[in-house]
Amino acid sequence: MSRSLPLNTHLLDVGPLVYGCMALGGDWGGGPITEADVAQAHAAVEAALEIGVKLFDHADIYRRGKAEAVFGELLKRDPGLRAKLRLQSKCGIRFADDAHVGRYDLSAAYIEESVNGILQRLAVERIDILLLHRPDALMEPAEIARAFGRLKAAGKVGHLGVSNMHAGQMRWLQMALPEPIVANQLELSLAKLDAIDVGTTFNDPQAATRPGCVAWAGTLEYAQRHGVQLQAWGSLAQGRFNEPAASPAAKAVHEIAEAHKTTANAVLLAWLLRHPAGIQPVIGSGNAERIQACADATKIQLSRDEWYRLYVTARGQALP
């Protein structure tokens, strides 16, 4: 089944699914990667490729750099692998240390330093997309634009995107950029409905009971209007729908999966894919079997009734 994607990322030929690499590279400690870590990463990447994934999503902080490092090891061992995929990574989050609090940093110097580290760990000369991981309260769009311009001119980065930014932040940043923002990665799943609820509860008292959704006003619409690819992290909802008895929503997921002769994971992703914004679910599992269980997501088409059954049941409250 053909899935339409916004113009910007469609030109990159990345397909409807993304594999998120945060689970690769072992623990979050400072030790080296092991052969077991490499084997697990290899199995996960192969499983993702088998189900048609082309875009592999990283961040410089994942496993404190080890997720990128183990992926780089795979690329070193299999030189032909790079041609089969697109690489995306994120920067801008700095962990706390003895001298500093945890903070966000989208200064030009830190962006450029981060990209150099990303390239070194991944053992590549260029990444296809760089995402700004979190909105820095001190970010200056013109400074970000200059940093991106230098990175692109040096052949280190192909395109710029963002993560966890609402419509107003994207609009403000885009004013300084010579090229369009190509993607925005935000948390969205049957367990995280804010970006959708902000539209369906508009102009109704129910909106007051869902204060977390207000910040996302206009985000889905802005993305569709400007060709920004929405990527949904947490798309499998951290496993909370794995067991039918876990909740009424989990029961609905499994009943719909049975009707389509597929898996619950595939239904969770198909629910996101059914949205007209052309949302790309990010599969974040490090388990090869769970990745393979997502294979049917692009092959099934949920009906309107099925989509709304999942949405309303997951909300736990009737629509206004």
Side-chain angles (χ1 to χ4, degrees):
M1 180 179 299
S2 174
R3 301 279 183 177
S4 62
L5 294 174
L7 175 63
N8 293 336
T9 46
H10 175 70
L11 294 176
L12 298 177
D13 188 27
V14 294
L17 300 175
V18 180
Y19 180 67
C21 299
M22 188 174 72
L24 308 183
D27 62 26
W28 287 82
I33 58 174
T34 66
E35 281 300 315
D37 297 332
V38 175
Q40 184 242 353
H42 180 263
V45 170
E46 287 299 313
L49 289 169
E50 286 175 11
I51 67 169
V53 172
K54 296 181 182 179
L55 181 60
F56 288 77
D57 172 70
H58 290 271
D60 57 357
I61 64 166
Y62 289 168
R63 311 287 158 164
R64 295 186 178 270
K66 292 193 294 184
E68 290 175 334
V70 76
F71 204 96
E73 185 63 26
L74 296 181
L75 292 173
K76 290 175 187 176
R77 296 186 185 190
D78 181 3
L81 180 59
R82 179 67 179 93
K84 299 178 183 178
L85 51 82
R86 303 289 188 271
L87 287 173
Q88 168 179 286
S89 194
K90 300 182 284 292
C91 72
I93 296 178
R94 304 187 73 162
F95 289 129
D97 54 34
D98 292 340
H100 306 93
V101 298
R103 68 274 193 207
Y104 303 146
D105 191 343
L106 294 180
S107 64
Y110 192 69
I111 290 173
E112 293 178 67
E113 175 188 338
S114 298
V115 169
N116 288 333
I118 289 167
L119 297 177
Q120 181 178 23
R121 288 186 293 275
L122 286 173
V124 297
E125 296 181 351
R126 177 183 184 273
I127 57 173
D128 299 289
I129 306 172
L130 174 68
L131 299 186
L132 306 178
H133 206 159
R134 288 277 180 178
D136 174 7
L138 301 179
M139 69 180 179
E140 299 182 31
E143 181 180 9
I144 292 171
R146 288 193 294 271
F148 171 64
R150 287 191 291 267
L151 290 167
K152 179 148 189 174
K156 297 179 179 181
V157 171
H159 301 273
L160 185 68
V162 298
S163 182
N164 303 299
M165 287 195 185
H166 59 62
Q169 292 165 326
M170 284 192 286
R171 186 180 297 110
W172 180 54
L173 178 59
Q174 183 64 75
M175 289 175 64
L177 295 170
E179 298 184 17
I181 294 169
V182 300
N184 183 12
Q185 188 175 117
L186 52 86
E187 185 177 9
L188 183 58
S189 71
L190 272 182
K192 183 68 172 177
L193 298 165
D194 294 347
I196 295 175
D197 276 342
V198 71
T200 56
T201 63
F202 173 72
N203 202 34
D204 187 88
Q206 193 178 118
T209 70
R210 297 173 179 271
C213 71
V214 175
W216 296 109
T219 301
L220 299 188
E221 293 80 4
Y222 180 93
Q224 292 176 82
R225 170 66 180 83
H226 296 280
V228 178
Q229 177 64 62
L230 289 171
Q231 299 175 355
W233 66 267
S235 60
L236 294 177
Q238 293 79 43
R240 68 182 64 187
F241 299 107
N242 285 357
E243 298 298 328
S247 66
K251 180 182 179 183
V253 168
H254 284 265
E255 288 178 352
I256 290 172
E258 184 176 352
H260 285 271
K261 296 181 172 55
T262 189
T263 66
N265 283 344
V267 169
L268 291 173
L269 302 189
W271 184 81
L272 290 166
L273 289 166
R274 178 67 172 80
H275 194 278
I279 298 166
Q280 285 178 315
V282 179
I283 303 169
S285 175
N287 183 296
E289 291 185 1
R290 195 173 189 208
I291 296 167
Q292 290 168 336
C294 299
D296 287 346
T298 61
K299 302 172 185 175
I300 60 176
Q301 176 81 5
L302 298 182
S303 68
R304 273 181 161 269
D305 286 344
E306 289 171 327
W307 192 92
Y308 268 103
R309 179 188 175 195
L310 292 172
Y311 175 42
V312 174
T313 308
R315 295 179 88 244
Q317 183 179 16
L319 286 167

